[in-house]
Amino acid sequence: MRLRGFVGIGLLCALAAACSVPVVAGLEDGDANRVVVALEQSGVASEKERDPDQESAYRVMVARDDASTALSILADEGLPPRAAPGLLEALGKGSLVPSRTAEHARVVAGTGDELERSLIGLDGVVSARVHLGVPGRDPLAFDEKAPIATASVLLRHRGPTPPISASEVQRLVAGAVPGLAPDEVSVVMLPVAPRPRTAERQLARLGPLTVTHASLFALRTMIGVAVLVSAALLACVVGLLFRLRRTEQALRDAASEAPDVPARPRRGTM
């Protein structure tokens, strides 16, 4: 009976897996966790699992009926974050003999990407864009006045209160760019309004499973059908065992009531 229960649960899990589709794949562990949190907060049940197509990567699965809603939520949340190449990756790309201007542009772009990574890593930050205006300076022009470097930061965050203040963002950006004063950093912070949850999108738990209220009745129906099928199979097995025992008993009774047949004498040899 316990084995049949495990079989029923396995069939139910297989059916549930067949009705799930990936919405994002090839993510790092932290990015996959952000996607799951954003979907759960918006009332979409999701699950993080290993990506079979990429080593050391993850993907996020949702129910097939929730795929379009999940994609819309991720688009509003700016998830998954765009892949910023970073400073080392930016310096590694270029011609064999890069010009001074191209080298300066790659350093500025890589620094901006590193700053975006740092800001997105903060809890509550949805997306961050950093634009650096750092003019190059001719090292041979000694009398030329040093150009003024500027920067602008666009930060989207959850909740009414940003997880980091504007002055802290200014100090962070100014500390990463030589010659940039904190006052020359413009910071714009935009709160992301949470999606309203309808009654159908409210999450409910049924044992170890988390589903929406709209899917709760279907899940209970599936579990009920699985239990009924298991009970029917158990009844069939018990019935077959009972009939087998009755047949064995009838054969033993028939063998005991049959008259003994005397053995025929052997003819002697001449």
Side-chain angles (χ1 to χ4, degrees), residues 120-131:
I120 292 176
L122 297 176
D123 187 22
V125 174
V126 175
S127 63
R129 296 300 303 271
V130 178
H131 304 275

Side-chain angles (χ1 to χ4, degrees), residues 27-118:
L27 300 179
E28 297 180 355
D29 186 40
D31 293 338
N33 290 334
R34 294 187 186 95
V35 170
V36 171
V37 169
L39 293 178
E40 295 285 347
Q41 290 179 346
S42 298
V44 176
S46 59
E47 181 180 0
K48 181 186 74 173
E49 63 180 30
R50 290 279 186 179
D51 192 344
D53 299 329
Q54 298 187 31
E55 186 178 359
S56 301
Y58 295 86
R59 65 180 184 180
V60 178
M61 308 290 293
V62 300
R64 187 180 300 274
D65 295 338
D66 294 335
S68 59
T69 304
L71 293 175
S72 177
I73 293 171
L74 295 181
D76 293 341
E77 294 283 345
L79 295 172
R82 68 183 186 92
L87 181 59
L88 295 180
E89 291 83 354
L91 291 177
K93 300 177 182 179
S95 60
L96 184 62
V97 184
S99 63
R100 186 182 302 275
T101 303
E103 190 72 14
H104 175 74
R106 284 198 296 270
V107 171
V108 172
T111 304
D113 291 334
E114 291 289 348
L115 289 170
E116 290 180 3
R117 285 183 178 182
S118 300

